[in-house]
């Protein structure tokens, strides 16, 4: 809202509710609480909206931006990395495993740290849209 107000002070009219709250909340969740990711979403949405002549952001635009970011995050992950991400998602305490793979994924921000009384970890929310399932391991849920 502050950024839109600044744009309006510069003489550009911004329609009310240009990004509806449910879409903003979805973008916030998909950013994993990282402002840099959220602002990246907003920049990509602005480019798509301006290029398409859209005055009010809609679900398909947001879906497209999220899907592109999701694919970029998951590209190149190998099976060992995916297993480790799944194990973190299933761990009720969400502890960081003590492995080089975990540290590498943390450095790439594919695992995010969330501070409370103690830090806890989860795979980046974009990875949990389709790739990482916090429930049962795939081998237990697949039928043979």
């Amino acid at each position: 809202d502050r950024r839109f107000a600044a744009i309006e002070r510069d003489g550009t009219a911004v329609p009310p509710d240009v990004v509806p709250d449910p879409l903003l909340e979805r973008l916030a969740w998909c950013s994993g609480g990282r402002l840099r990711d959220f602002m990246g979403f907003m920049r990509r949405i602005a480019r798509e909206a301006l290029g398409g002549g859209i005055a009010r952001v809609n679900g398909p635009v947001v879906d497209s931006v999220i899907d592109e970011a999701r694919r970029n995050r998951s590209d190149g992950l190998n099976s060992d990395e995916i297993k480790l991400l799944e194990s973190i998602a299933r761990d009720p305490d969400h502890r960081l495993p003590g492995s080089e793979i975990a540290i590498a994924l943390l450095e790439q921000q594919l695992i995010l740290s969330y501070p409370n009384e103690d830090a806890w970890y989860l795979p980046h929310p974009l990875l949990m849209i389709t790739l990482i399932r916090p429930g049962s391991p795939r081998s237990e849920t697949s039928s043979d």
Side-chain angles (χ1 to χ4, degrees):
D1 288 343
R2 287 193 312 260
R3 290 193 188 265
F4 288 143
I7 291 169
E8 288 178 333
R9 282 194 301 272
D10 291 339
T12 303
V14 177
D17 202 24
V18 68
V19 183
D21 285 345
L23 296 178
L24 279 175
E25 290 169 13
R26 182 159 185 239
L27 291 165
W29 181 85
C30 287
S31 74
R34 298 190 67 246
L35 182 58
R36 183 176 303 260
D37 287 354
F38 182 79
M39 293 309 295
F41 286 146
M42 296 306 289
R43 278 190 298 276
R44 288 192 291 277
I45 286 169
R47 268 185 260 149
E48 283 201 29
L50 287 173
I54 298 169
R56 186 169 190 254
V57 175
N58 57 33
V61 170
V62 169
D63 291 344
S64 171
V65 166
I66 288 171
D67 190 56
E68 177 188 353
R70 179 194 58 77
R71 282 184 279 112
N72 288 338
R73 290 274 177 171
S74 62
D75 282 353
L77 287 174
N78 64 46
S79 60
D80 290 340
E81 292 166 332
I82 292 169
K83 286 177 189 172
L84 185 131
L85 290 165
E86 287 175 335
S87 72
I88 293 171
R90 283 191 309 270
D91 176 7
D93 295 323
H94 302 293
R95 292 189 182 109
L96 183 66
S99 71
E100 290 183 27
I101 294 174
I103 299 304
L105 293 174
L106 186 64
E107 289 171 351
Q108 295 170 51
Q109 297 175 346
L110 296 175
I111 298 173
L112 299 179
S113 170
Y114 296 97
N116 278 354
E117 294 170 8
D118 294 318
W120 53 281
Y121 301 85
L122 276 177
H124 195 290
L126 289 171
L127 299 176
M128 296 199 310
I129 292 173
T130 60
L131 183 65
I132 306 301
R133 297 294 181 195
S136 300
R138 287 183 201 187
S139 61
E140 291 177 11
T141 59
S142 63
S143 60
D144 292 314

